[in-house]
Amino acid sequence: MDHSSNWLIASLVFLAAAVVAVPLARALGLGAIIGYLAAGIVIGPFGLHLVTDPDTTLHFAEFGVVLMLFLVGLELEPKRLWALRRPIFGAGTAQLLACAAVIALPAIALGLPWRWALVAALGLALSSTAIALQVLGERNLLRTPGGQAAFAVLLFQDIAAIPILALLPLLGSGTEAAESPWAGAAKAVGVIAAIILVGRLLLRHGLRWVARSRTPEVFTAASLGLVVGIAALMQAVGLSMALGAFLAGVLLAESEYKRELETDVEPFKGLLLGLFFMAVGMSIDFAALAAHPLLVLAIVLGFVALKGVVLVLLARRIGLTRAEQPVWVLLLAQGGEFAFVVFQQASTAKVWPDDQASLFTGAVALSMLVTPLLLVA
């Protein structure tokens, strides 16, 4: 009974915070994302203390990002995805490696241990898929050259997260790698190939069989079950859930049930993304920020500025217009939600102490909070 009451109270707190904060933020011209982030700060451990476990909420709400990438995949037919292969692996590789290099080298020069500098650089080089795709969707920019280029970079980051996580145990002092990198890479390729093969052969037939029941709620359950199942499979072998959901969306992009899938998944995506942004607001460790305010400010300004320089040069290289460059730079210069996972895993592998992880996590969350404000400006 107590557990049920706690669950109901937490649900009421989240819903009430969203209902109050988001319309207020929109009325002030700040956008929904700022409303969700502010709501999370207010109800979190460093606000009114109405919710005390932001990590659990964040892990659950990450599924909103998974659903969002499934819907993005539904809009990309395999031919269009194949046409994007060069931006994904060209611009994506250039962005990640260049941003990691310009962050790691100054950190090492300032005396940071090279393992710390490498982990920090790889985590900070990643960008927020949730915020970027949400903003691009709200502004109808996904089909523009800048939107397509930003999407290609974000998709490559999801792919690159696999080797980044595999690298962390090799850098740590407290744990050994559970398996060789080659075995992990083979497993990743095998699972992705299985998803593509099964998706081509069975997914449409399965949905067609469910649709014959003519029961809308069953089709909704099948839609969610499909995304949850693929995400669970990807997570079980240590891969990105969002990447798996995106592949499932691409495989169904030419399906006759494309619109029904979009209609069924969209409401859940919206709610979970709102919860995700609130969880990001709750996860900001204001105690760590207050203990080292100048250091945190230097980290945020430093990595955003360094990434911004790289992104401006890359935007010119790939031919983006001056009008598209500001949004491109701001969306990709911020930190990303996957940095939380990288920094947490680095602490588990004893690459660095927990207080370092808290410091960099707070800096990433702060950059995610500031970016929508800069976009409004």
Side-chain angles (χ1 to χ4, degrees), residues 69 72 76 80-96 127 129 132-133 136 141-142 144-160 243 246 311 314 318 320 328 332:
L69 277 173
V72 170
L76 274 179
R80 285 187 61 204
L81 181 62
W82 180 250
L84 285 172
R85 67 190 184 281
R86 289 185 179 177
I88 291 172
F89 291 99
T93 303
Q95 181 274 332
L96 185 64
S127 311
T129 301
L133 292 186
L136 291 172
L141 296 176
L142 265 175
T144 65
Q148 293 285 294
F151 172 74
V153 170
L154 293 166
L155 182 57
F156 179 81
Q157 290 179 3
D158 272 336
I159 298 171
L243 178 61
F246 172 76
L311 290 165
L314 185 58
I318 62 179
L320 295 186
W328 151 274
L332 296 179

Side-chain angles (χ1 to χ4, degrees), residues 91-109 112-127 153 156-157 160 164 167 171 302-311 314 332-334 342-343 360:
T93 303
Q95 181 274 332
L96 185 64
L97 294 182
C99 287
V102 299
I103 294 171
L105 294 177
I108 295 172
L112 205 66
W114 71 268
R115 286 184 177 84
W116 294 15
L118 180 59
V119 171
L122 290 173
L124 296 176
L126 303 174
S127 311
V153 170
F156 179 81
Q157 290 179 3
I164 290 174
L167 176 66
L171 297 174
F303 87 79
V304 170
L306 290 171
K307 288 176 70 175
V309 171
V310 171
L311 290 165
L314 185 58
L332 296 179
Q334 65 181 314
V342 172
F343 296 153
F360 281 98

Side-chain angles (χ1 to χ4, degrees), residues 69 86 88 126 141 168 220 223 241 247 262 270 283 348 361:
L69 277 173
R86 289 185 179 177
I88 291 172
L126 303 174
L141 296 176
L168 294 179
T220 301
S223 304
M241 294 189 296
L247 287 175
E262 288 178 336
S283 68
T348 303
T361 299

